[in-house]
Amino acid sequence: QVQLVESGGGLVQAGGSLRLSCTASGRGFSIFSFNTMAWYRQAPGKERELVAGGTTTYADSVKGRFTISRDNAKKTVYLQMSNLKPEDTGVYYCNIGVPPRIGWGQGTQVTVSS
């Protein structure tokens, strides 16, 4: 079974940047190379939502500020986040597919202070 491990979160001031990483491992991690990868987030008190998927799908709230990319050789997908806003605060998760196809990892916390 494939596992996804997210990292790179932290505390940043509004206007700052972060790059999140998500690395696949375990049995079946080869499916990473052949499937859409996506980033989701869950803000406090809100449902989990899609942030970015594939190469061109972005939530309206992050268009022009976030970029998803991947390195198949490293089995890693990235989320470059720029011009961060307090409303970007939440736990960020990666998954295979839109909608998500496997269970959730532990996520990585992003906190943006105003």
Side-chain angles (χ1 to χ4, degrees):
Q1 182 176 346
V2 64
Q3 289 95 37
L4 300 172
V5 178
E6 303 91 345
S7 63
L11 173 64
V12 64
Q13 289 187 333
S17 299
L18 283 173
R19 189 178 79 156
L20 307 183
S21 299
C22 167
T23 301
S25 63
R27 289 183 61 186
F29 72 87
S30 59
I31 67 174
F32 173 96
S33 299
F34 306 103
N35 285 275
T36 295
M37 295 299 295
W39 284 95
Y40 299 79
R41 71 184 176 192
Q42 187 165 21
K46 295 186 177 181
E47 294 186 353
R48 192 153 20 207
E49 62 175 349
L50 175 69
V51 174
T55 58
T56 60
T57 300
Y58 293 92
D60 287 343
S61 61
V62 308
K63 283 180 180 177
R65 300 188 297 121
F66 290 12
T67 303
I68 185 172
S69 62
R70 62 193 290 167
D71 184 333
N72 286 343
K74 295 182 178 179
K75 300 297 187 286
T76 298
V77 61
Y78 304 98
L79 186 68
Q80 179 66 48
M81 307 186 295
S82 303
N83 190 22
L84 283 160
K85 303 177 180 181
E87 51 264 43
D88 295 318
T89 294
V91 181
Y92 284 69
Y93 305 85
C94 67
N95 210 301
I96 299 171
V98 179
R101 290 177 52 184
I102 66 173
W104 299 102
Q106 85 287 351
T108 186
Q109 175 72 46
V110 172
T111 303
V112 184
S113 63
S114 58

